[in-house]
Amino acid sequence: MRNLGHIFRDIRMDKGYSLKDIADGILSVSFLSKFERGDSDISLSKFYLLLERLNITFDEFSFISNDYNPTQVETLMKNVRNAYENNNINLLYKLEQEEIYKWKKYNFSSHRYNSIMISALAYDLNKQLELYQEDITLLNEYLFKVENWGFYEIMLFGNSMSILPIESIITFSKEILNKTQLYSRVKKNKEKLIRVLLNTIVYCIESNRPSSALHFIISAEKILERHSDLYFEKVKLLYLSGIYKIISGNSDVGIVMSNRAIKIMDALGDINAVNNHEIYLRKKIVFSNTANPN
């Protein structure tokens, strides 16, 4: 990775700003010049102010400083997502073993947690795979220990739900708003958070916990009220709210709500989502009719 000062200088010059343009009111021109040459370090607070003056986000700067490549975690998750979406358990196993190898080689705990997350996704595809209680316990302990969840912890929890007991899912999901408060203004964290809550609602419905499902529906609604751009999440919540109505005995209203969401998915051309959600809706209607016969 190149020196941060050199990268900053390249961006500044590419945007046509002078040293004085960027330094004014933040630090001296001479100090900024030393930073750009790599002769001086700079505090994080000052660095963020300089990035704002340069009209560039920290994520953009990190991307450039990594030679326009995604981070290791981003690359891992892209590969994991592709394997999961294509039901490629062999590739998931390969990625899991690579993370275990890195953990043993570098003794860095995140690689261990990554391997558990990948095994959880594989288990979600094939419930015949073996689970290790040691892994579940280790994951639980880590998530309980971390007070302030960033994107990594939200991702880790969201992708590992299939191996956690419903009690842990409900507990973590109830705490997640408090645990993520420190990073609540980070957009991608908020998007990941709401998707975790949506998954929690599904797990509550499948575990016959309607009161818990309602709790998270209300929590998700409050978040989405403040984020008008999260269209997918709003459609998914409408669908799940309909499913909740169905399993709670209000089938007529629930079916209308869920079908409305499916029609939106259809209008957007997401055929796979339409088919999957129609199948799940029919299953819940049949279950509701069986559980509550006329």
Side-chain angles (χ1 to χ4, degrees), residues 6-19 22 36 54:
H6 296 168
I7 298 168
F8 187 91
R9 179 188 59 200
D10 290 345
I11 297 171
R12 176 182 62 77
M13 296 179 68
D14 183 60
K15 286 177 172 282
Y17 291 114
S18 68
L19 284 167
I22 302 301
E36 289 189 346
L54 204 56

Side-chain angles (χ1 to χ4, degrees), residues 145-209:
K145 177 180 66 176
V146 179
E147 290 296 327
N148 294 304
W149 283 14
F151 182 81
Y152 179 74
E153 285 76 26
I154 301 172
M155 176 194 71
L156 193 63
F157 171 56
N159 289 324
S160 302
M161 284 181 163
S162 63
I163 65 172
L164 296 174
I166 186 62
E167 290 78 13
S168 293
I169 293 174
I170 291 174
T171 298
F172 283 131
S173 295
K174 284 184 176 179
E175 286 291 319
I176 200 168
L177 294 180
N178 294 327
K179 283 180 173 288
T180 57
Q181 188 64 37
L182 184 64
Y183 307 102
S184 61
R185 296 179 65 183
V186 180
K187 187 174 186 294
K188 71 173 184 176
N189 289 22
K190 188 66 69 176
E191 292 174 352
K192 193 68 177 178
L193 167 62
I194 192 67
R195 294 194 179 196
V196 166
L197 290 179
L198 293 173
N199 286 337
T200 300
I201 294 168
V202 174
Y203 276 100
C204 289
I205 289 172
E206 288 299 299
S207 301
N208 195 27
R209 303 286 186 94

